[in-house]
Amino acid sequence: MRIAVMVHERDRKFTPNYIASPMIEAWRLKGHDVEIVPGPHTPDSDVLFLHVDCTVLPWKYRRAVARHPCVINRHVRNISKSRISSLRVRTRWRDVGPVIVKTDMNGGGRPEYHKRRRLRRRMEAREQRLGPEYAGLMLRSKYCVFDSNRLVPSRMFRTRGLIVERFIPERFDELYGIRCYTFLGDRGDAFLYRSKDPIVKRREFVDWTPVEVPPELRRMQAELGFDYGKFDYVLHEGVPVLLDVNSTPASRYHERERRRQAAFLAPALEPLVERIRQR
């Protein structure tokens, strides 16, 4: 097949940190013709793999995608936390227990920060208004955890680009856990990562183990229109709760894990393309 991978016009170098990078290698080794297409162009290809690293897909890319008959992730246009969150807290007045404050944009808004100069200035101004005690919340994707939403400064509720959510970490004695489900089409796997820090970062985990993919996640994948991506979630009272979704997953610190995931997911391309053509 001729596969066009559409990336943002300012991402002309396709970073190897993306899980899609070793998948592209696998597809080429299988004989597929894969081309990286920077910008909102409609290439002459059998399938268009949408891989624009932005929280909200710009309109010019949406128009380009609409012109192509076979698109992976065609319906993924907005992956902001406020769109997928079932934990959002909007007020200080009714105590809901521990909460966490984070950026609404994916990846702390770093992809947009480097692509959009006006947004960069707005983010810098918002962080200045938050005060020095919260430095890095907007610009370096730090998190703030409070014992109660009553303790959250009111300006955080008013600051555009921030979201306050209930904090419901998974506990394992002295450790905290987060689960990650990575998928392409019907093929996907999930892993539990555990850390000593309540904010579990995959680069700092103590251990990780494969876990079963809850059927609820596959339903969420269909409801959100994802063909490819990664969902971060926890089990709360036995039910999976989404924390974050990503349509351009990457693994900056663990090359072996990235290549293992790519080798597992790459064969799902052909059956996925057949299903998209039949929709």
Side-chain angles (χ1 to χ4, degrees):
M1 291 187 295
R2 295 167 300 168
I3 306 167
V5 181
M6 179 181 287
V7 302
H8 195 278
E9 57 201 293
R10 296 195 178 181
D11 290 336
R12 293 182 178 275
K13 185 178 180 180
F14 197 82
T15 171
N17 295 333
Y18 289 122
I19 293 173
S21 184
M23 282 203 302
I24 289 172
E25 293 178 18
W27 294 336
R28 284 172 172 161
L29 286 174
K30 199 170 180 180
H32 298 304
D33 179 12
V34 186
E35 177 188 6
I36 307 298
V37 179
H41 311 296
T42 307
D44 182 15
S45 63
D46 298 305
V47 58
L48 175 61
F49 185 10
L50 182 61
H51 200 280
V52 177
D53 194 355
C54 289
T55 302
V56 179
L57 187 65
W59 278 104
K60 57 185 178 180
Y61 290 89
R62 297 187 192 190
R63 289 192 291 267
V65 164
R67 294 191 292 265
H68 200 286
C70 184
V71 181
I72 294 175
N73 274 0
R74 178 190 298 276
H75 302 293
V76 180
R77 300 175 179 178
N78 185 340
I79 58 173
S80 58
K81 296 177 184 67
S82 57
R83 180 171 181 266
I84 60 100
S85 177
S86 62
L87 303 172
R88 190 170 188 181
V89 179
R90 298 177 182 273
T91 177
R92 301 171 61 193
W93 306 121
R94 187 173 67 85
D95 188 2
V96 299
V99 296
I100 183 170
V101 182
K102 57 181 79 168
T103 56
D104 190 25
M105 287 189 292
N106 187 59
R110 288 188 299 274
E112 283 85 355
Y113 183 85
H114 295 293
K115 295 180 178 74
R116 297 169 55 189
R117 187 176 303 173
R118 291 183 181 178
L119 178 61
R120 183 186 316 172
R121 291 198 294 264
R122 289 198 295 267
M123 292 172 67
E124 292 169 349
R126 290 167 188 165
E127 177 145 303
Q128 286 182 346
R129 290 195 293 271
L130 289 173
E133 66 269 36
Y134 301 114
L137 182 59
M138 291 290 294
L139 301 180
R140 294 197 297 276
S141 191
K142 287 188 176 181
Y143 297 89
C144 287
V145 177
F146 297 88
D147 291 334
S148 168
N149 55 310
R150 292 182 181 272
L151 302 176
V152 179
S154 57
R155 62 184 180 276
M156 286 189 172
F157 286 100
R158 298 193 304 265
T159 299
R160 188 173 182 181
L162 292 182
I163 182 172
V164 182
E165 294 182 315
R166 290 172 54 215
F167 186 53
I168 54 170
E170 258 192 270
R171 295 298 304 271
F172 301 88
D173 295 326
E174 300 300 317
L175 299 178
Y176 298 82
I178 190 171
R179 300 166 188 257
C180 299
Y181 166 52
T182 309
F183 56 88
L184 176 65
D186 287 340
R187 179 172 285 214
D189 57 14
F191 285 82
L192 168 65
Y193 299 85
R194 303 197 304 175
S195 169
K196 296 179 180 179
D197 195 317
I199 309 299
V200 182
K201 295 290 187 181
R202 293 175 70 189
R203 64 178 177 270
E204 300 166 351
F205 60 80
V206 173
D207 58 25
W208 60 286
T209 183
V211 293
E212 290 189 13
V213 178
E216 294 92 337
L217 279 186
R218 301 207 183 265
R219 288 199 293 269
M220 294 176 189
Q221 176 185 342
E223 290 169 359
L224 294 172
F226 273 76
D227 298 311
Y228 167 70
K230 178 175 73 71
F231 290 177
D232 294 346
Y233 68 102
V234 293
L235 288 185
H236 182 62
E237 299 177 350
V239 178
V241 179
L242 273 185
L243 303 180
D244 191 26
V245 299
N246 194 336
S247 57
T248 56
S251 180
R252 184 181 304 176
Y253 301 95
H254 304 285
E255 181 180 357
R256 286 180 61 188
E257 179 191 9
R258 182 170 64 247
R259 290 193 170 276
R260 180 205 62 78
Q261 287 180 321
F264 174 70
L265 296 177
L269 175 69
E270 290 89 347
L272 173 60
V273 169
E274 286 303 314
R275 285 195 300 276
I276 292 174
R277 287 172 174 168
Q278 294 170 9
R279 288 175 185 172

